[in-house]
Amino acid sequence: MIKNLLRGFSALSLALVPLLSAPAAQAAPTADVTTLADAVGLVEVTEEDRTGYTRSSFKHWNSGDDKSDGCNTRAEVLISEAVVAPTVEAGCKLTGGTWVSYYDGQEVTSAGALDIDHMVPLAEAWDSGASAWTAARREAYANDQGSAVSLVAVTARSNRQKSDQDPADWMPPSPEAQCRYVGEWVSTKLRWDLTADDRELEALKAYSEGPCEDTIVRYTPAA
């Protein structure tokens, strides 16, 4: 009887060992929240260098966050940002749906009329530190859905007007969009530990100390 009880306690002890010794589940990283002015102050300033840049250095679009849905990153962003959800047909063909391109305030009802813009363009990211990254990290950057502001669905026209320019040379044509844009630009730079050049920083400071002084920046550093 006593031996049976001892065996029972021993078995229970062994069963508990993995539970007691297992590492605690890691909590999801929390976002850093700060004013735009303070966020701009966190961006390191260096000279930019585009030597060796090619768009193909950043693999995109890949199979997206959900590897089983048959949609690539572009399609997943379109589905996520739709104000009226599109129908997702075989092969992830999107029909119907409505989007609002915040750069220019345009309502769009055709997925084909939209571009998925990298908030900080790929060439600008290369200039600002991504040239030293591994190919895998550049792919992660180019397909980043871990932050809602890294990729944005906008009209093809506004995206192509922007091209690879930073806020010193281009801002959204809609005045109502500009403070949001500056905040999301800085958020992306901080998330990926990217730098800024002197002209870019001066432009960001002008907005942060002027019309956008009340803008709040939230960012979570990329893994």
Side-chain angles (χ1 to χ4, degrees):
M1 178 79 169
I2 293 174
K3 288 182 179 179
N4 289 337
L5 286 172
L6 290 173
R7 288 194 191 101
F9 283 128
S10 297
L12 180 60
S13 298
L14 290 171
L16 288 173
V17 166
L19 297 176
L20 294 173
S21 60
Q26 292 185 346
T30 56
D32 290 309
V33 181
T34 187
T35 64
L36 178 58
D38 285 346
V40 170
L42 295 174
V43 180
E44 182 183 350
V45 182
T46 62
E47 292 297 318
E48 294 184 348
D49 183 1
R50 194 158 297 185
T51 302
Y53 168 73
T54 61
R55 191 170 176 82
S56 61
S57 297
F58 295 81
K59 181 182 177 182
H60 67 291
W61 305 109
N62 64 18
S63 56
D65 280 356
D66 185 346
K67 310 302 182 188
S68 65
D69 66 0
C71 296
N72 63 14
T73 299
R74 170 186 160 80
E76 288 182 357
V77 173
L78 287 169
I79 293 167
S80 173
E81 295 194 1
V83 294
V84 175
T87 299
V88 183
E89 300 179 349
C92 200
K93 180 181 179 182
L94 306 183
T95 59
T98 303
W99 294 263
V100 175
S101 166
Y102 94 79
Y103 288 179
D104 49 13
Q106 297 297 305
E107 183 176 287
V108 180
T109 56
S110 170
L114 293 159
D115 281 354
I116 304 303
D117 182 38
H118 293 93
M119 174 54 59
V120 174
L122 301 180
E124 169 70 20
W126 179 273
D127 297 349
S128 306
S131 60
W133 293 351
T134 63
R137 187 164 180 82
R138 287 196 288 268
E139 180 179 352
Y141 176 84
N143 297 274
D144 181 21
Q145 294 185 68
S147 167
V149 307
S150 294
L151 302 171
V152 57
V154 295
T155 57
R157 179 182 179 183
S158 65
N159 183 44
R160 289 160 199 185
Q161 286 175 340
K162 171 183 173 178
S163 185
D164 58 8
Q165 300 176 94
D166 68 34
D169 297 308
W170 186 90
M171 287 291 287
S174 173
E176 294 79 11
Q178 292 180 355
C179 289
R180 172 182 170 183
Y181 181 79
V182 172
E184 294 183 356
W185 179 279
V186 175
S187 171
T188 304
K189 286 253 165 164
L190 293 176
R191 172 170 169 76
W192 288 93
D193 195 24
L194 296 171
T195 62
D197 64 18
D198 289 330
R199 288 186 67 249
E200 177 187 348
L201 188 72
E202 288 307 310
L204 296 173
K205 283 183 176 179
Y207 281 98
S208 70
E209 295 169 1
C212 304
E213 63 180 350
D214 294 330
T215 298
I216 299 299
V217 173
R218 295 174 174 81
Y219 69 96
T220 303

